Amino acid sequence: MIAIAAPKSITALVAHSLVLAALWVCSGFSPAQAIEDDWQGVSRIVAIGDIHGDYQNYITVLKEAGVVNKRGKWAAGTTHVVQVGDIPDRGPDTLKIIEHLQKLEKQATKAGGYLHLLIGNHEYMNVSGDLRYVHPGEYEAFETRQSKKIRDNYYAYVVKTLESQRDNQAANDTAPAPLPVVDKAFKSDWYATHPLGFVEHRLAWQPGGEMANWVSQHNTVIRINDVLFLHGGLSADLLPLSMTDINEQIRAELRGEPVDGEPLGAASHSPLWYRGLARNSEPIERPVLDAVLEHFGAKMIVLGHTPDLNVITPRFDGEVVIIDTGISAYYGGHRASLLIEHGSASAIHGTNTQKLPKSSQEMLSYFESLAEQFPENPRVRAHIETLGKPTIQSDTDDLTTNERTERPATAGN
């Protein structure tokens, strides 16, 4: 369990929860050197998609892919395992999953392997304070015997701050800003939206907190051999940047450091959010894909973020592979992973392993096989009907739902 010191007073709580980032910067912390983001000569790679707070399905996927043994310990030897982000939100087990991953990171290194944990939009959202999709269980996981006192102290600080703001408005004779009235209804609503564990969750996830620091030690996009791995996608807007440029900027934003221009992590073309490679019509998006592959020196891109078909989904004759299948129970618990061994890519669905198609001619038989394996999945059958009939897809595609079309908060969501 990640240890969080319980503040002993309102002042201490404020110092921790509201200006922690400033204290962290002033503490003498200096960012690490550029983190490696390119590995060559790797013979075996396993990649898994978005987890979203479901420990049971997460650990089962790792077992089915041979990454961990029955006791949940690293069993993959020198394999490079990639998790493409979105560990938190939607499910209650985020803290448990992260604690397990932190152990696996060390076990993998000791065995000569590597665990690559990439940054997704939900990691970024939690650090930046966008809590739209936090599961109540994620707050509960941070509860301690001190949680009630911590929450009460934080509420007292909020009330004191509101009173101070009113006094300043009166003293300066300025136009009053709309401030809430502190009454029983306000208190009741405030406590309802700040459950036990909320403050501790924010302490851990905000810039300078233990969760945020851990996330910011990872990459947004990496290349292993000739394959790029990331969460959302790469748009033409990113082509002037190198992998290291992208990784360093996202890390700087997660650390709360100033950056030139608008934050990349919250942009619609961000590698954490972009869905063009996953959803745009292939003929229209093909020039973007070709330019991206050439710019980054790759032959394939592996993505999470878009669980439309609930199966490992190749596009562009297998040059793009979407591995977010909706592992979490929130999305139906569709367990799968991607295996790349000696340059050959295969999809692992449960105990079934199937080579990925490398041409449009092979695509139909691949999805027909999945339709037989998952007859309860209407999305695969619908996709088969569209193969060979290219259409311009968008975020309002019939295969999507509101839950599957998240957008950055700055994009009007």
Side-chain angles (χ1 to χ4, degrees):
M1 177 72 70
I2 292 177
I4 301 173
K8 297 180 180 179
S9 67
I10 295 174
T11 301
L13 178 60
V14 174
H16 277 280
S17 64
L18 299 180
V19 294
L20 183 58
L23 292 177
W24 171 60
V25 171
C26 294
S27 69
F29 177 88
S30 59
Q33 297 293 320
I35 297 173
E36 185 178 6
D37 52 25
D38 192 0
W39 292 262
Q40 299 300 311
V42 178
S43 60
R44 188 172 189 270
I45 307 166
V46 171
I48 63 173
D50 308 28
I51 299 170
H52 285 301
D54 188 329
Y55 180 84
Q56 188 56 56
N57 280 332
Y58 148 77
I59 203 70
T60 301
V61 165
L62 292 185
K63 290 177 181 178
E64 290 172 342
V67 174
V68 300
N69 59 24
K70 293 180 179 180
R71 295 184 296 167
K73 294 188 176 183
W74 183 265
T78 59
T79 300
H80 280 229
V81 175
V82 184
Q83 196 285 316
V84 295
D86 277 11
I87 297 167
D89 294 344
R90 304 293 193 188
D93 304 327
T94 296
L95 184 57
K96 184 177 180 180
I97 293 167
I98 288 177
E99 289 171 346
H100 183 259
L101 286 170
Q102 290 172 333
K103 294 176 182 177
L104 277 189
E105 285 182 298
K106 297 176 182 178
Q107 294 168 11
T109 301
K110 187 175 181 179
Y114 207 113
L115 177 58
H116 305 271
L117 301 173
L118 305 186
I119 300 166
N121 62 300
H122 281 262
E123 282 82 8
Y124 190 95
M125 291 165 72
N126 272 263
V127 174
S128 62
D130 184 345
L131 310 179
R132 285 176 288 168
Y133 306 109
V134 175
H135 189 282
E138 294 177 280
Y139 296 132
E140 292 174 9
F142 280 91
E143 283 188 42
T144 70
R145 288 180 293 179
Q146 296 294 319
S147 291
K148 185 178 184 302
K149 182 179 180 180
I150 291 172
R151 183 175 64 168
D152 290 344
N153 286 345
Y154 185 47
Y155 175 75
Y157 168 77
V158 170
V159 172
K160 185 177 180 179
T161 300
L162 289 172
E163 292 172 350
S164 177
Q165 289 174 336
R166 286 195 181 88
D167 291 343
N168 287 337
Q169 288 179 358
N172 296 324
D173 196 25
T174 58
L179 296 174
V181 176
V182 179
D183 54 17
K184 289 183 178 180
F186 172 84
K187 183 175 182 179
S188 176
D189 290 344
W190 190 93
Y191 272 85
T193 55
H194 295 77
L196 293 175
F198 175 92
V199 176
E200 295 91 330
H201 179 277
R202 296 309 307 138
L203 287 173
W205 276 100
Q206 67 182 0
E210 291 191 62
M211 290 288 192
N213 285 348
W214 179 72
V215 170
S216 67
Q217 294 169 14
H218 299 133
N219 286 306
T220 296
V221 55
I222 62 174
R223 185 177 65 179
I224 305 178
N225 300 335
D226 55 5
V227 183
L228 294 175
F229 296 85
L230 71 154
H231 182 68
L234 293 165
S235 73
D237 295 323
L238 297 174
L239 291 188
L241 302 177
S242 68
M243 286 193 301
T244 301
D245 292 335
I246 294 170
N247 290 327
E248 286 301 311
Q249 174 151 351
I250 296 294
R251 274 195 286 269
E253 293 173 18
L254 291 173
R255 293 192 295 253
E257 299 170 2
V259 296
D260 294 333
E262 295 297 319
L264 177 60
S268 60
H269 66 275
S270 165
L272 308 181
W273 287 98
Y274 183 68
R275 280 196 168 100
L277 294 174
R279 285 187 174 158
N280 286 350
S281 166
E282 292 190 18
I284 291 177
E285 192 74 5
R286 167 54 75 174
V288 174
L289 174 60
D290 288 343
V292 165
L293 291 174
E294 181 179 2
H295 178 76
F296 292 102
K299 294 182 179 179
M300 178 189 289
I301 302 177
V302 175
L303 309 172
H305 190 51
T306 306
D308 285 344
L309 299 185
N310 299 133
V311 293
I312 301 294
T313 303
R315 302 193 76 211
F316 300 93
D317 295 339
E319 292 179 49
V320 172
V321 181
I322 303 162
I323 64 170
D324 180 8
T325 58
I327 289 173
S328 172
Y330 181 89
Y331 288 113
H334 306 280
R335 302 192 310 273
S337 61
L338 177 70
L339 171 65
I340 303 176
E341 198 163 21
H342 303 297
S344 179
S346 300
I348 303 174
H349 294 94
T351 58
N352 182 47
T353 301
Q354 180 179 3
K355 286 192 176 299
L356 291 186
K358 295 182 179 180
S359 68
S360 57
Q361 290 76 16
E362 298 174 349
M363 202 70 67
L364 182 60
S365 61
Y366 171 78
F367 283 106
E368 285 179 337
S369 174
L370 290 177
E372 292 179 5
Q373 184 178 351
F374 303 109
E376 73 285 358
N377 184 346
R379 295 175 180 274
V380 173
R381 181 57 61 186
H383 184 65
I384 290 172
E385 295 176 1
T386 67
L387 289 176
K389 302 176 182 178
T391 57
I392 299 177
Q393 297 181 352
S394 70
D395 280 355
T396 56
D397 191 303
D398 288 341
L399 293 178
T400 69
T401 66
N402 289 336
E403 291 81 1
R404 294 166 185 261
T405 54
E406 301 163 352
R407 294 176 175 82
T410 54
N413 202 10

